[in-house]
Amino acid sequence: MRRMAGRHVGGTPAGLAAMVAHSRAAAKPLIGMDPGARYVGLSITSADCRLALPLRVVDRHARRADSGVSQLVGEHAAIHSILSKHHPAGLVVGLPLDSFGREGPACRTVRAYVGSLRLGKLPVIFLDERFTTANLRHALTDLGMSAQKQQRVKDTGAAVVILQSALDIAFAHAHHLLKAGGGHRPASL
């Protein structure tokens, strides 16, 4: 895994497992993020770090009463407030790779957005989110949810799917190590 400015880049199984193990050991949640053009969907792990739960949506275009505050500052303040409240061990961000798994303009936009948040030393892992929206849409349709209701939950839902995917990959990696290592359980997983 490459490192950039104190942050993880790329969502390898080992990197995800290390982040989840650290989260569990520190008794701190992980936050999932799906930054879109209009909204930023956020999710959070359960106390045992096994389930991703919806947290909040930040409207990137909300109107501010104080016209002297730029929208970007208000949006960043909202995200920083959420991070300060929950003290996460790390952030898992959906990265919209193209259908061939390559990074394009949308990925550069997401990386620039996360960089603009100035998260300091908070570990960030970018995770492939190519099929997140489609998987979410199918799951919600299977539950009998109308298209109108799906629209209301899609932003936090996508963040939940991204974070749950990271947790699933981390636990599958730990399970693989457990089987390969003759039964020795990785620390904190």
Side-chain angles (χ1 to χ4, degrees):
M1 183 183 321
R2 299 183 330 253
R3 291 218 179 232
M4 181 174 82
R7 295 194 191 126
H8 298 282
V9 178
T12 66
L16 291 166
M19 183 181 266
V20 170
H22 171 70
S23 175
R24 290 174 57 111
K28 293 182 173 186
L30 296 174
I31 299 281
M33 178 184 281
D34 179 37
R38 171 75 193 210
Y39 300 103
V40 178
L42 298 169
S43 60
I44 190 167
T45 54
S46 59
D48 64 358
C49 209
R50 293 195 181 274
L51 291 174
L53 306 166
L55 182 59
R56 182 167 165 208
V57 173
V58 175
D59 187 341
R60 296 186 70 182
H61 301 286
R63 301 286 180 237
R64 301 277 174 216
D66 177 5
S67 60
V69 177
S70 79
Q71 177 55 39
L72 189 59
V73 171
E75 173 188 329
H76 285 186
I79 291 171
H80 280 277
S81 173
I82 292 164
L83 295 176
S84 294
K85 177 181 177 183
H86 295 285
H87 305 288
L91 186 66
V92 179
V93 180
L95 196 62
L97 301 175
D98 70 16
S99 59
F100 298 104
R102 295 181 303 227
E103 290 194 26
C107 290
R108 288 189 290 277
T109 299
V110 166
R111 287 186 185 276
Y113 177 75
V114 171
S116 74
L117 290 172
R118 298 190 180 179
L119 299 171
K121 294 184 180 185
L122 181 67
V124 175
I125 288 185
F126 293 93
L127 188 67
D128 178 2
E129 67 155 34
R130 276 180 284 181
F131 305 109
T132 301
T133 303
N135 290 341
L136 178 63
R137 189 177 318 116
H138 291 302
L140 295 176
T141 300
D142 288 347
L143 290 172
M145 189 176 284
S146 70
Q148 184 179 15
K149 287 183 181 177
Q150 287 182 29
Q151 189 64 30
R152 288 190 298 225
V153 300
K154 80 170 190 165
D155 296 299
T156 55
V160 167
V161 171
I162 291 164
L163 186 54
Q164 189 64 54
S165 295
L167 296 173
D168 293 347
I169 291 167
F171 285 108
H173 181 72
H175 179 74
H176 171 74
L177 292 178
L178 181 62
K179 285 179 72 175
H184 300 292
R185 185 176 182 91
S188 299
L189 283 180

